[in-house]
Amino acid sequence: MSLLQTILATLVTLGLLVTIHEWGHFWVARRCGVKVLRFSVGFGKPLWMRVGRDGTEYTIAAIPLGGYVRMLDEREGDVPESLRAQAFNNKPVLQRIAIVAAGPLVNLLFAVLAYWFLFIYGVSSVVPVVGDVRPDSPAASANVESGYEVLEVDGNSVRSWSEVNLRLAARVGETGRVELMLGEPARGYARSYSVPIERWDVDLERESPVTALGLMPWQPEIPAVIGLLTEDGRAGAAGIQVGDRVLKVDGEPVADWIELVHKVQAAPEQPLELMLEREGRIVTLTVVPATRALPDGRSQGYIGAGVSPVEYPESMQRTLSYGPIEALVAGVEKTGQMIGLTLDAIGKMIAGVISVKNLSGPITIAKVAGTSAASGLESFVSFLAYLSISLGVLNLLPIPMLDGGHLLYYAVELIRGRPVSERVQMLGLRIGMVLLFSLMALAILNDLARLF
């Protein structure tokens, strides 16, 4: 994945989601008779500007981390008598609520349409068959058996590992029991398991909820064949080549890629003698794995080599696709599920049940945007939908400076019959600024910690 590809994917991601968010505000404002002075994608100095026939300035600015719609408003300057009826602050409170809520709601609508497209296009997935159960895990304590497909999680049917992960993610931090049903649909066999969890702490940076529960997804045997080498990696420097098959490490046979990875990870800065098969010849080389520090303080070895892609058999692949109406229903359900999961995660972070290390900032967004774009259309559209939901939900939180903070003020005005005082609004603005800038700083620190 090139730097240029990452930059382009990030610009497309942020540009698209910011544009549709601000377009929601813009479109409803125009329908309510509010004069729009500027529609800007990005902050800072304009890189491009055009003035429309309606007098609105349309701009693309230098900093693509947001945008804004500037409307005529008596609180921000003098308004001619002839234009007072078009000022935002002079509109009825219900119209102001509609204008402010439109941005986040359009983000949620975009997610529905994105998922609708994916469900028509067809979502590829791997059948959620358990390959192994990790000892000393919650699943092992419930005697969950390997070799069977996960059919239900807490009474909800699942058809892919992605769906299993989402259902389990909603249980992170909780105490109770996860109800699983596994079986073989082809022969009508199914068995239920009640898996105990207690303040289930999952480090989402290091593992998924599936593996944290102790379920190891089935995967085909992966031969220890070098598929790629990173630039300036220890493997390439030692003379290892793409296509080499690793037969032994320090004289011990290597069964597959997973075993090779374990041996390398266990030997940071320790010389390893590799016996390789290269084009029918036996080659012996020595490589010294570099050291990578883990979040828990331990060290792990790596040599800068990747595996060749391995195809899953057709029996283990599944494509989820629907007709237009069914896809729309599925899109609405998926968006609702993701909204609930986002709100649940926010609540658990506030309660201290899950770590704030899971917050991500612009660096992580850029990395994931680039990776998902490189993985194909399905992955990239899915990421756009997820990020659009996050943007919509976060903007609806009742925090001053966000759309949700304005909606809170207007709700109070609707109930009381008069606006919230300027003094209270300014106090809320200061609190909101401190809170948002603190969260942004924490997210960026988390990004940097993931990098280094």
Side-chain angles (χ1 to χ4, degrees):
M1 181 180 61
S2 68
L3 177 61
L4 178 61
Q5 184 180 38
T6 299
I7 293 173
L8 289 175
T10 303
L11 290 176
V12 170
T13 298
L14 295 179
L16 177 61
L17 298 185
V18 168
T19 298
I20 63 173
H21 178 94
E22 300 305 335
W23 178 83
H25 294 309
F26 172 81
W27 189 84
V28 176
R30 293 286 294 272
R31 296 303 176 277
C32 292
V34 175
K35 182 174 179 58
V36 178
L37 303 178
R38 175 176 284 189
F39 182 107
S40 179
V41 176
F43 299 117
K45 183 179 179 180
L47 301 175
W48 174 87
M49 178 184 292
R50 184 179 70 84
V51 179
R53 287 180 296 178
D54 54 2
T56 302
E57 295 178 347
Y58 299 89
T59 71
I60 297 177
I63 305 173
L65 298 179
Y68 61 90
V69 172
R70 181 176 295 158
M71 293 171 273
L72 190 67
D73 195 314
E74 290 180 318
R75 296 168 299 179
E76 297 181 3
D78 295 332
V79 175
E81 183 67 31
S82 60
L83 296 179
R84 287 191 63 197
Q86 299 181 52
F88 174 80
N89 64 294
N90 288 329
K91 294 297 178 180
V93 64
L94 288 178
Q95 288 191 4
R96 282 179 275 143
I97 287 174
I99 293 168
V100 171
L105 292 180
V106 166
N107 279 121
L108 301 181
L109 177 61
F110 172 82
V112 171
L113 294 177
Y115 286 131
W116 173 78
F117 167 78
L118 285 176
F119 285 128
I120 288 180
Y121 177 78
V123 179
S124 302
S125 61
V126 175
V127 178
V129 172
V130 178
D132 197 5
V133 177
R134 194 176 66 211
D136 302 322
S137 67
S141 69
N143 297 315
V144 175
E145 297 179 90
S146 62
Y148 296 104
E149 179 182 346
V150 182
L151 304 175
E152 292 184 3
V153 177
D154 290 332
N156 300 288
S157 63
V158 290
R159 293 191 290 173
S160 67
W161 280 118
S162 174
E163 292 182 4
V164 175
N165 253 321
L166 287 176
R167 292 297 178 186
L168 291 179
R171 302 297 305 275
V172 173
E174 296 182 5
T175 296
R177 290 184 175 274
V178 176
E179 303 298 332
L180 300 178
M181 181 180 289
L182 278 71
E184 287 186 42
R187 64 185 185 94
Y189 171 75
R191 179 179 175 182
S192 297
Y193 298 89
S194 188
V195 181
I197 53 173
E198 185 170 353
R199 292 188 61 83
W200 190 34
D201 184 22
V202 179
D203 187 349
L204 296 175
E205 291 185 25
R206 296 182 55 194
E207 60 181 345
S208 68
V210 164
T211 55
L213 197 68
L215 305 178
M216 312 306 291
W218 181 91
Q219 57 185 17
E221 182 178 329
I222 305 174
V225 176
I226 306 299
L228 60 90
L229 296 168
T230 60
E231 191 175 349
D232 299 327
R234 297 281 180 93
I240 296 174
Q241 299 178 10
V242 171
D244 287 350
R245 178 186 289 269
V246 181
L247 303 177
K248 294 182 179 181
V249 175
D250 286 341
E252 297 182 358
V254 174
D256 54 24
W257 181 265
I258 302 301
E259 186 173 354
L260 172 62
V261 169
H262 289 162
K263 289 181 179 297
V264 170
Q265 289 180 342
E269 300 301 339
Q270 299 177 31
L272 297 176
E273 185 179 79
L274 306 185
M275 178 184 289
L276 313 173
E277 180 184 346
R278 178 184 299 167
E279 298 178 346
R281 297 180 295 112
I282 300 298
V283 178
T284 301
L285 298 173
T286 299
V287 63
V288 180
T291 301
R292 176 189 289 122
L294 299 177
D296 60 6
R298 293 181 298 117
S299 295
Q300 188 179 77
Y302 70 101
I303 59 175
V307 67
S308 297
V310 176
E311 289 289 332
Y312 278 77
E314 287 189 14
S315 61
M316 295 300 295
Q317 299 182 53
R318 179 176 286 161
T319 299
L320 307 179
S321 62
Y322 305 94
I325 303 302
E326 292 174 307
L328 182 60
V329 173
V332 171
E333 291 177 347
K334 178 77 170 181
T335 301
Q337 181 186 7
M338 296 303 293
I339 291 172
L341 191 62
T342 302
L343 290 172
D344 183 61
I346 292 172
K348 288 177 178 177
M349 279 189 196
I350 293 173
V353 175
I354 62 177
S355 172
V356 293
K357 290 190 300 182
N358 294 301
L359 281 173
S360 297
I363 298 174
T364 297
I365 291 173
K367 288 178 63 179
V368 177
T371 302
S372 62
S375 298
L377 179 65
E378 180 185 325
S379 179
F380 187 53
V381 173
S382 182
F383 172 66
L384 285 176
Y386 168 73
L387 195 58
S388 191
I389 291 170
S390 298
L391 183 61
V393 170
L394 291 175
N395 267 282
L396 286 173
L397 295 178
I399 299 174
M401 278 192 72
L402 296 179
D403 294 329
H406 295 294
L407 291 174
L408 176 63
Y409 292 149
Y410 298 148
V412 172
E413 178 180 347
L414 193 63
I415 295 169
R416 296 175 63 208
R418 62 179 185 275
V420 176
S421 69
E422 288 291 331
R423 184 178 64 84
V424 171
Q425 290 191 46
M426 289 304 297
L427 177 62
L429 181 64
R430 294 190 184 95
I431 294 173
M433 288 179 65
V434 171
L435 183 58
L436 285 180
F437 288 141
S438 298
L439 288 174
M440 189 178 298
L442 179 59
I444 292 173
L445 285 175
N446 286 344
D447 284 354
L448 295 174
R450 294 184 185 105
L451 284 177
F452 302 107

